Amino acid sequence: MSQDSNNSNNHATEQTNTYVPPKVWVQDKENGGKFASINRPTSGARYDKELPVGDAPLQLYSLNTPNGVKANILLEELAEIGVKGAEYDAYKIDISKGDQFGSGFVAINPNSKIPALVDHSGDDGSEPIAVFESGAILMYLAEKFGKFIPVSAGKARADCLSWIMWQMGSAPFLGGGFGHFYAYAPEPLEYPINRYTMEVKRQLDVLDTHLKDNEYMCGNNEEDYNIADMIIWAWYGQLVLGKLYEAAEFLQVDDYKHVKRWAQKIAERPAVQRAVDLALTPID
C-alpha cells in the first residue's frame, strides 16, 4: 500500500473519531464522569422528601464542598464573636445520592444546588425566608447581622461587593471547568484541561497581584476581613493549600506566594477550621 493510501486511511480514522455535534442535542446516554448517574437536562423535584427543621433560627442544608464551606465559615465566624440570633442547625445534602432533588430541598432552592438556608427567626408570624446561592447567603447573613460587610456606601463596600461578584463569576471556571475535566471527567482530554488550566492560573495571578499589597481582600487591618475573604478562600485558598482536586503541583501553586500567605493566615482562624470539617446531620 502506498504512503498516500496510509495517510488517507489515517485521516479517515481521525475523522471517524472526531465528535460532530448533531443538529439537535438529545440525552440518549450517560455522559460519563463522577456525577453522570444524577445529571439530567431538567429541573424540579424527582421524589417527595421533606427536610428536617431544628430549633435554631437558621437552618442550613448543605455539604462541605467549597460552596458549602463559604456559608459554614460565616456562620462559625458569627458564633465566634457571639452574635445572638445566628445560631443554626446544619443538615447534610448528599449530592452524590441526589438529596438535592427531594421536594423539600427543591422548594427552597429550585436550582437544586447546595447550599441553601432558611431563616425562621421572624417573631411577627412572618413566613420563613429561604435563600439560595452561596453568595446570596453570605450577603444576606452579613447584612442581617451587620457583621463582616461594610454597611455604608463607599469604597470599602464597593470593594467587598466587587470581589464577591468576581468570585461568583470566576469559580465556575475552576470547579465546573478545570475541576471537572481534570478530576471528574471519564477520561483526560488535552484541550479542555489546557483551556481551563490557563484560566485558573490567570485567576490566581489576579489574586496574587492584588494580595501583594493587601493583607486581606479589602484592606490590611483585621477589621477589613470580611465575606469577600471567606467566599474566595473557600475555593482559591483551599486550592493553593492543596485541598482541591489534588492539583497543587499541576497548577504550581507555590508560585502564587501572596495568595498562599493569605490562604494560610485565614486557615489559622478557629472559625475557619471548624467550618471546613463542620459536622452535618444526615437528612435520612
Side-chain angles (χ1 to χ4, degrees):
M1 182 179 291
S2 70
Q3 184 65 37
D4 287 343
S5 296
N6 283 333
N7 289 340
S8 177
N9 288 337
N10 289 338
H11 182 62
T13 299
E14 290 174 2
Q15 286 184 326
T16 300
N17 292 335
T18 299
Y19 172 68
V20 178
K23 290 186 180 297
V24 177
W25 183 87
V26 294
Q27 185 186 29
D28 55 2
K29 61 182 178 180
E30 287 189 357
N31 60 0
K34 184 175 180 179
F35 299 102
S37 63
I38 62 171
N39 287 339
R40 296 180 189 174
T42 55
S43 63
R46 299 180 186 174
Y47 61 94
D48 290 330
K49 179 71 175 182
E50 293 303 312
L51 293 174
V53 179
D55 297 326
L58 301 174
Q59 300 293 299
L60 178 68
Y61 304 95
S62 192
L63 193 66
N64 292 341
T65 64
N67 283 335
V69 165
K70 295 175 191 176
N72 298 356
I73 293 174
L74 178 54
L75 288 164
E76 286 298 320
E77 291 285 11
L78 293 170
E80 185 77 12
I81 59 177
V83 172
K84 300 299 182 184
E87 299 83 8
Y88 70 101
D89 296 307
Y91 296 95
K92 181 179 180 179
I93 300 298
D94 190 336
I95 60 175
S96 66
K97 294 181 179 179
D99 288 348
Q100 68 274 34
F101 301 114
S103 58
F105 189 81
V106 173
I108 62 173
N109 184 359
N111 197 39
S112 294
K113 304 288 184 181
I114 61 94
L117 178 99
V118 182
D119 183 355
H120 294 265
S121 64
D123 55 6
D124 57 357
S126 59
E127 289 291 320
I129 298 172
V131 191
F132 62 93
E133 288 296 326
S134 56
I137 291 172
L138 266 69
M139 291 178 65
Y140 174 83
L141 292 174
E143 292 183 340
K144 175 182 175 71
F145 297 109
K147 303 292 184 183
F148 301 110
I149 189 172
V151 295
S152 300
K155 184 180 186 306
R157 184 172 176 85
D159 287 347
C160 179
L161 297 183
S162 293
W163 282 112
I164 289 171
M165 298 307 164
W166 176 86
Q167 190 281 326
M168 296 299 292
S170 297
F173 291 97
L174 171 52
F178 173 79
H180 175 79
F181 286 104
Y182 184 79
Y184 299 143
E187 61 180 299
L189 298 172
E190 182 178 8
Y191 176 79
I193 290 175
N194 284 346
R195 168 67 180 89
Y196 289 113
T197 298
M198 184 179 298
E199 175 60 15
V200 168
K201 288 179 72 67
R202 187 195 70 81
Q203 292 173 4
L204 287 170
D205 192 56
V206 169
L207 289 174
D208 203 59
T209 300
H210 177 72
L211 289 167
K212 179 181 179 180
D213 299 316
N214 292 275
E215 194 74 8
Y216 297 104
M217 290 305 303
C218 299
N220 290 302
N221 301 312
E222 178 67 19
E223 58 267 27
D224 294 322
Y225 170 71
N226 62 36
I227 57 174
D229 294 285
M230 301 175 198
I231 203 170
I232 294 171
W233 185 89
W235 277 103
Y236 297 90
Q238 292 198 98
L239 181 70
V240 300
L241 295 177
K243 305 296 185 181
L244 296 183
Y245 308 126
E246 298 182 353
E249 181 180 6
F250 181 77
L251 293 170
Q252 298 173 291
V253 298
D254 289 341
D255 290 351
Y256 308 100
K257 60 182 181 179
H258 304 297
V259 181
K260 286 204 72 174
R261 180 266 309 160
W262 164 83
Q264 289 165 345
K265 183 182 180 88
I266 292 177
E268 292 170 1
R269 298 179 69 91
V272 174
Q273 293 175 2
R274 293 194 302 271
V276 170
D277 297 314
L278 185 69
L280 301 168
T281 303
I283 64 172
D284 294 333

